[in-house]
């Protein structure tokens, strides 16, 4: 059902208070199906004020409002508060509609975050599962959000969604202020969602509030008794004052212009700031032929932000493509491909100059759009294999297979990532395949992945010691670093020579063909008789490339030597660890069976229940502490504290000395701790090796 012009006028001029909205509600179709059809028609017209007033009037007179209308309508509301009120009283699958609105695009980050919150609230109230993809959309938005308001709303949604991965994305970037605002927003939004519609609508017309920055007078200031500026000859108060008062109430931030006039001709008053403040439906409503040329780039970027590719097409049909914003159109194509709208991307690509030039360096997404390419079986198979490999610790097989099946350049790119994350020795296998692929592509042999592998190799070497020395001080490491530095030097020289060759070729071509424009820099040498400078540069480049290859061979050789040294060092370290483990096991076995000389100790057990005592360290103990191994010294002090605290476990295995029953011995590995128990103190006498125990006992007999 299409709305009549009279009804649309009434809805557009309806003010936000009970009287006007109830009057609009009384004008609604009596049949619910007709009302639903009317709402659908208004949603498609993209008139925010009409849509907002119509939905509020529908709810206010207790008529049904299906949530599906929010799929397109959610981005059109002129106020977020009204969006909350309307969403909270819709019928049907509200969460599904909110998710569809997010996926459709055309909404700001703030509104997407609010839609996520409303969907999560609806599922919580209805005790139903989240719609498929809701959590995913929340995570994706969390990686994009940069504004305080959007961040707070997303935190509010996260409180309801309670997804660990979502919190993991938010927490590193969130400040206490955003988290606090998120909690406050959650409470406020829920309160407004559940509040009756009648309680949200003011009873009286709201006062005129001028918004949009500094307000300028829509009419000049004129005294009441002055002649009217219209030229009627009457006093101002008897002529145009009443009309100007109404006009003054609608003042905008532009002097002499009302907000109504600004809405009717927005392009005339458009600035970059106003452009960025517009929402999607405002941008779409602009006439592309009337937009100032200096705002073309900003206009296209704003449309891209809301995925309004149809509007970009309308702009191109009206203005064509110029060099100063060709890059923005390519951005539109890439964005359209990324949101799975290939047909729109193809239509956009058809407007780009050099559309059919296969040699132009257009992005991959542009080429897909231009040539109407589909993934195809081969790419789908590669994508499936990549998906299987995503969570595996090793990418060696996948990288090597990519190279083997005829995708060497892609294999090189994937291989660089594999070298960063695979096991070090598997990374070496990938590096060898990568360098072999470069050879087959007839590229220079050096690759940035070599530096990454060598850095990991050095870190591995630093974890052990090579022949008892620091890894950086070894001959192999020094040789490798020298070759690496030489490689950088040669690459720099080669780049300089190639630039000089292009310049010399262009200069030579201009001399023989003056018609060649100065700005043209040929990608391939122009067919001319080479002069001596060009020949000399070409010869120097050939020599440099040969030197690059020789240095690369040396670098490979030194890297292999360094790798061998690291591997040998690791093997030696493993052997040493095995020997140490064997010795420790043997010592532990000896300790388990060996006890001190029986004649030095009494079989009398020491009580295991003790009060808390203050530890007192004798001079002999403190003097000898520095001569003990560090680990033993730490254990001795720690054991003393446990004994003083009266821990029952600390007294297990203690025995009194036969020569002096007041002295107690406790084993501490190969050492013995001697101490004496007083009423309120634990006196730690000394800590001696078991071989010196007999001599120490003599001091206390």
């Amino acid at each position: 059902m299409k709305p009549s012009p009279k009804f649309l006028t009434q809805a557009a001029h309806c003010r936000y208070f009970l009287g006007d909205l109830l009057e609009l509600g009384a004008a609604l179709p009596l049949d619910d199906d007709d009302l639903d059809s009317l709402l659908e028609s208004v949603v498609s017209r993209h008139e925010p004020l009409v849509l907002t007033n119509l939905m509020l009037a529908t709810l206010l007179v207790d008529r049904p409002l299906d949530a599906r209308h929010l799929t397109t309508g959610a981005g059109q509301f002129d106020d977020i508060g009204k969006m909350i009120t309307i969403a909270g009283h819709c019928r049907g699958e509200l969460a599904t509609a909110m998710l569809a609105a997010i996926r459709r695009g055309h909404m700001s980050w703030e509104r997407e975050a609010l839609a996520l919150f409303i969907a999560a609230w609806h599922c919580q109230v209805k005790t139903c599962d989240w719609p498929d993809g809701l959590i995913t959309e929340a995570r994706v938005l969390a990686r994009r959000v940069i504004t305080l308001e959007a961040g707070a709303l997303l935190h509010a949604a996260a409180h309801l969604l309670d997804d660990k991965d979502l919190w993991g994305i938010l927490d590193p970037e969130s400040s206490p202020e955003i988290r606090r605002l998120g909690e406050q927003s959650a409470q406020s939004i829920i309160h407004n969602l559940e509040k009756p519609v009648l309680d949200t609508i003011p009873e009286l017309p709201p006062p005129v509030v001028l918004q949009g920055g500094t307000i300028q007078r829509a009419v000049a200031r004129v005294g009441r008794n002055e002649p009217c500026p219209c030229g009627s000859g009457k006093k101002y108060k008897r002529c145009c004052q009443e009309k100007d008062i109404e006009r003054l109430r609608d003042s905008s931030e532009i002097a002499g212009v009302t907000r109504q006039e600004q809405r009717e001709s927005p392009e005339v008053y458009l600035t970059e700031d106003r452009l960025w403040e517009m929402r999607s439906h405002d941008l779409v409503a602009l006439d592309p032929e009337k937009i100032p040329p200096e705002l073309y780039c900003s206009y296209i970027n704003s449309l891209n932000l809301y995925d309004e590719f149809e509007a970009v097409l309308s702009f191109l049909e009206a203005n064509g493509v110029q060099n100063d914003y060709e890059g923005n159109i390519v951005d539109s194509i890439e964005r359209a491909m990324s949101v799975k709208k290939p047909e729109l991307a193809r239509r956009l690509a058809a407007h780009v100059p050099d559309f059919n030039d296969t040699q132009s360096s257009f992005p991959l997404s542009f080429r897909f759009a231009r040539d109407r390419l589909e993934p195809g079986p081969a790419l789908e198979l590669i994508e499936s294999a990549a998906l299987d490999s995503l969570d595996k610790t090793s990418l060696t097989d996948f990288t090597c297979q990519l190279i083997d099946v005829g995708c060497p350049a892609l294999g090189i790119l994937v291989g660089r990532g594999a070298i960063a994350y695979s096991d070090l020795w598997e990374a070496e296998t990938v590096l060898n395949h990568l360098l072999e692929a470069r050879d087959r592509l007839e590229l220079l042999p050096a690759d940035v992945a070599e530096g990454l592998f060598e850095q990991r190799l050095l870190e591995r070497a630093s974890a052990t010691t090579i022949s008892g020395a620091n890894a950086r001080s070894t001959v192999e490491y020094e040789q490798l670093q020298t070759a690496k530095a030489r490689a950088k030097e040669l690459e720099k020289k080669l780049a300089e020579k190639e630039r000089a060759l292009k310049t010399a070729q262009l200069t030579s071509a201009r001399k023989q063909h003056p018609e060649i424009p100065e700005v043209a820099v040929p990608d391939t040498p122009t067919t001319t008789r080479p002069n001596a400078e060009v020949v000399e540069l070409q010869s120097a480049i050939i020599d440099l490339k040969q030197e690059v290859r020789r240095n690369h061979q040396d670098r490979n050789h030194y890297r292999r030597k360094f790798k061998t040294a690291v591997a040998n060092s690791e093997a030696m370290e493993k052997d040493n660890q095995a020997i140490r483990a064997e010795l420790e096991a043997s010592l532990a076995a000896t300790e388990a069976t060996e006890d001190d000389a029986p004649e030095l100790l009494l079989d009398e057990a020491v009580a295991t229940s003790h009060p808390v005592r203050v530890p007192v360290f004798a001079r002999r103990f403190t003097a000898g502490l520095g001569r003990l191994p560090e680990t033993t010294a730490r254990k001795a002090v720690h054991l003393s504290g446990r004994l003083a605290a009266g821990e029952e476990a600390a007294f297990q295995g203690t025995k009194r000395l036969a020569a002096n029953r007041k002295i107690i011995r406790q084993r501490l590995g190969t050492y013995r701790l001697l101490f004496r128990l007083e009423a309120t103190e634990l006196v730690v006498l000394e800590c001696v090796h078991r071989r010196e125990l007999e001599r120490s006992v003599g001091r206390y007999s």
Side-chain angles (χ1 to χ4, degrees), residues 385-441:
L387 186 61
D388 292 339
S389 302
L390 277 182
D391 294 327
K392 294 181 179 177
T393 55
S394 172
L395 295 176
T396 306
D397 292 341
F398 179 65
T399 303
C400 297
Q401 288 166 11
L402 269 180
I403 295 172
D404 294 341
V405 300
C407 300
L410 182 59
I412 290 172
L413 290 175
V414 175
R416 291 173 179 172
I419 288 170
Y421 295 104
S422 299
D423 174 81
L424 185 60
W425 306 133
E426 287 191 6
E428 184 184 31
T429 302
V430 174
L431 180 61
N432 292 333
H433 273 73
L434 188 153
L435 295 177
E436 181 181 332
R438 290 187 68 92
D439 292 336
R440 294 186 183 279
L441 292 171

Side-chain angles (χ1 to χ4, degrees), residues 9 47 53 82 105 125 163 225 235 237 348 374 381 386 393 401 442 446 454-455 474 528 570 581 587 694:
T9 301
E47 295 185 18
N53 289 337
K82 296 173 184 176
V125 170
D163 177 66
N225 294 313
K235 289 185 178 182
K237 65 182 179 182
L348 288 166
E374 298 293 342
L381 183 60
T393 55
Q401 288 166 11
E442 297 185 355
E454 289 164 2
Q455 179 61 33
T474 60
T528 59
E570 287 185 338
L587 183 60
E694 186 174 356

Side-chain angles (χ1 to χ4, degrees), residues 301 304 309 326-336:
N301 288 339
N304 290 342
F309 307 118
E326 179 180 339
N328 302 92
I329 302 303
V330 174
D331 291 342
S332 301
I333 296 167
E334 291 188 275
R335 176 64 184 165

Side-chain angles (χ1 to χ4, degrees), residues 405-615:
V405 300
C407 300
L410 182 59
I412 290 172
L413 290 175
V414 175
R416 291 173 179 172
I419 288 170
Y421 295 104
S422 299
D423 174 81
L424 185 60
W425 306 133
E426 287 191 6
E428 184 184 31
T429 302
V430 174
L431 180 61
N432 292 333
H433 273 73
L434 188 153
L435 295 177
E436 181 181 332
R438 290 187 68 92
D439 292 336
R440 294 186 183 279
L441 292 171
E442 297 185 355
L443 302 172
L444 285 174
D447 191 272
V448 294
E450 290 180 284
L452 176 60
F453 177 78
E454 289 164 2
Q455 179 61 33
R456 290 192 62 194
L457 189 61
L458 176 61
E459 291 171 358
R460 182 76 164 260
S462 300
T464 60
T465 54
I466 301 177
S467 302
N470 185 281
R472 295 180 183 273
S473 64
T474 60
V475 175
E476 294 86 352
Y477 175 77
E478 294 296 335
Q479 291 172 330
L480 178 59
Q481 291 301 103
T482 301
K484 187 175 178 179
R486 179 61 176 160
K488 289 184 178 179
E489 180 184 344
L490 291 172
E491 287 172 7
K492 184 178 179 180
K493 286 184 178 180
L494 182 59
E496 291 173 353
K497 292 291 183 184
E498 288 177 338
R499 285 196 296 270
L501 176 61
K502 278 193 174 184
T503 302
Q505 287 173 335
L506 181 59
T507 303
S508 176
R510 288 201 194 111
K511 288 179 180 178
Q512 298 185 38
H513 304 282
E515 69 278 4
I516 295 179
E518 291 190 5
V519 294
V521 180
D523 293 332
T524 56
T526 307
T527 306
T528 59
R529 293 188 301 276
N531 59 23
E533 182 185 6
V534 170
V535 172
E536 182 181 353
L537 285 169
Q538 288 174 334
S539 176
I541 288 173
I542 292 173
D543 292 341
L544 273 173
K545 287 184 176 180
Q546 290 176 348
E547 191 170 354
V548 167
R549 289 185 168 86
R550 286 194 297 270
N551 182 75
H552 188 261
Q553 292 173 356
D554 292 341
R555 185 175 177 180
N556 285 341
H557 173 68
Y558 297 137
R559 185 167 60 241
R560 284 192 290 269
K561 287 179 63 178
F562 187 52
K563 177 247 179 179
T564 301
V566 173
N568 291 340
S569 177
E570 287 185 338
M572 291 174 60
E573 183 65 25
K574 286 181 180 178
D575 290 343
N576 290 338
Q577 288 177 355
I579 292 171
R580 284 196 295 269
E582 185 177 349
L583 288 173
E584 289 176 0
S586 175
L587 183 60
T590 302
E591 283 289 310
T593 57
E594 184 184 43
D595 206 342
D596 304 311
E599 64 274 11
L600 298 179
L601 306 171
L602 296 175
D603 289 333
E604 180 183 346
V606 180
T608 56
S609 178
H610 293 274
V612 176
R613 296 179 172 90
V614 177

Side-chain angles (χ1 to χ4, degrees), residues 32-53:
D32 287 346
D33 290 339
D34 290 343
L35 174 58
D36 190 73
S37 176
L38 174 66
L39 287 164
E40 190 167 348
S41 177
V42 171
V43 167
S44 64
R45 293 174 63 90
H46 294 281
E47 295 185 18
L49 185 59
V50 173
L51 177 64
T52 304
N53 289 337

